[in-house]
Each structure stands twice: as structure tokens, then as C-alpha cells.
Amino acid sequence: MSESPILPVRGRPVRPSGRHRRPVPSQLPPEAPALVLAALGDASGAAAELAALIRVDNPQIQVRLAGLDEEAKRLTAELESAARERPEGVTAAIVVPLLTGPHPVADRLIAAAVASSRVAVTVTGPLGPHPLLAEALHIRLAEKGLARADRMRLVNVSSPVDAVVLATVGGERAAAEAQPTAVLLASRLTLPVLVASLDSAPPVAAAAERLRAIGAARIALSPCVVGPEAPDGLVAATAAEAGAEYAEVLGAHDLIADLAARAYGSILSAD
């Protein structure tokens, strides 16, 4: 008589760790705050695609999207609408700016909308710095042939470029706060990475010249922007002026959607 097979012991599921851990609980109460994405411009294009990605991956979240017009009226309206659907005394919304770093105009508009709405709201910080942001930048570079698609370094394979300029939008403060992301990206690429600004100091052309002074011949521009915050053509024009090749903006990358959901989830877990 053959032995009975050993059946597995049913236990608690193993909770994934690191980047694979769910950024938001799989179930939320009906009164859970809405996730309101705030994007410069009319909230079309990449912003709308990111909202759709978050909805698909997190159906338990009510995801709203508001463009930041000159008076932030659309964001005010979204906050007021979210509050009407929830009991009094609870946080009606968590506003997540679709920005990789601080942005004076967006920050001012969001603050004005929150004040005007008179709604209980929490506003998160920008999406960076974060290792997932550096990973998304790496992927965009690889898509244009400006970086290897993986992180393995083989001594007999030359790097596609000699150095990278990580470019921000939002003034000098945004450039300063992107330094940790630059360090993370440099670690992934094992290449020099300097931070510059597309709309302020330090300028991209000056950063490219610094890199050439240390022997970098082929330089890549890595725009650390989601997209709506940079005027059309700005990245291409800046790269041409600096004599650099360039990656596409981050846009509706799934890692950016993940970062937005994580920002929302971090507020929930802190309560």
C-alpha cells in the first residue's frame, strides 16, 4: 500500500516585501479618502493615463484627476465633490502631485485649492526622490539605447554613453532635491550623473561642459519630469543646445503610477 501524499499545511500567506509589497491595502472602507492626482495643465495625456493605470491596479481606491489651471478651480471642485460623498469629520481626499520634485507654481496652486475648498485634505510630497524613480529613468534611457536594459556590468561591453545629465523642472530647489535620485541613477548605471535644471540654474549646457571636461564624449539627457510640467519641445531643444542625446520624459510609466499609489498608501498607514 502506497503512502499517502503529504499535503501542504495551510497557513497565513507570505506578505511580499520591498517594491512588490502592495502600496495600498487590498480593501478600504467606503469612507476612505479619494486619491486626487494633481497635474499641471489640463490633466490629459500622461496624467490621464497614469490615473487609468492606478484605477486598474487599485480598484479599491477612488481615483480622481484634476488639472491645475490658473486658479486651481478644477482641483477645488474635485475636493468639494469628494467631501460630499463622505461623512463629516473624515479626511475627504489625499492629493498626490504628479511631480518628481517641488514646483513653486504647482505647490502654490494646490495650497490655494485646498484653502478654497475648506475640505479636510492631506497633500503628499512629490514622487521623488525614490529608488523606483531612478529605475524609471534608467528604463527610459534604455529605451533610447542610452543605457543597458539591465544592471549587469560586463567588462567587455562598453557603455552606450559616458555620462548623464539628470534634468529637472521647478527651479533651483527642485534641482537640489533631485540629488539623491541622481546618486541612485549613477549607482544603477555606474556612470557620472550631474543634476541640472531645464528652467533655472544650474543649466544643462553647463553640466554637459563639466562632464566633457572630465572626459565624457557622449552625454545623455535624462528628463526627471512626468511630462505636463515641461513645455512641448523643451527637452529636445535643451538637449540640442547641450550637444546631448536625450531620453523621453517619464510619462505614464507604471513605476510612476506605483509611486503615486505609494504616496497615497503612506498617508493611510500613518493615520
Side-chain angles (χ1 to χ4, degrees), residues 145-246:
L146 301 174
R148 291 193 190 88
D150 59 45
R151 298 176 63 180
M152 298 301 295
R153 303 295 294 183
L154 302 177
V155 295
N156 61 336
V157 178
S158 61
S159 174
V161 298
D162 303 312
V164 173
V165 177
L166 186 150
T168 62
V169 169
E172 293 184 50
R173 182 184 165 204
E177 295 198 13
Q179 289 292 343
T181 300
V183 171
L184 291 166
L185 183 60
S187 177
R188 295 183 66 91
L189 303 174
T190 63
L191 291 174
V193 177
L194 292 183
V195 177
S197 176
L198 291 166
D199 62 354
S200 181
V204 170
E209 286 306 309
R210 285 180 58 194
L211 291 169
R212 291 191 179 95
I214 62 172
R218 187 180 180 190
I219 297 170
L221 176 63
S222 177
C224 189
V225 297
V226 176
E229 66 274 39
D232 290 341
L234 177 61
V235 172
T238 303
E241 180 184 358
E245 299 169 77
Y246 66 94

Side-chain angles (χ1 to χ4, degrees), residues 36-89:
V36 182
L37 300 169
L40 285 165
D42 61 3
S44 62
E49 293 175 35
L50 285 167
L53 283 173
I54 297 171
R55 290 187 184 104
V56 169
D57 291 339
N58 302 274
Q60 74 278 28
I61 305 176
Q62 183 188 62
V63 180
R64 295 168 174 262
L65 175 62
L68 294 172
D69 50 18
E70 292 183 0
E71 297 180 2
K73 290 183 178 179
R74 295 172 186 170
L75 179 54
T76 299
E78 288 293 341
L79 298 178
E80 292 172 343
S81 176
R84 287 193 294 269
E85 297 178 2
R86 287 162 177 80
E88 291 186 12

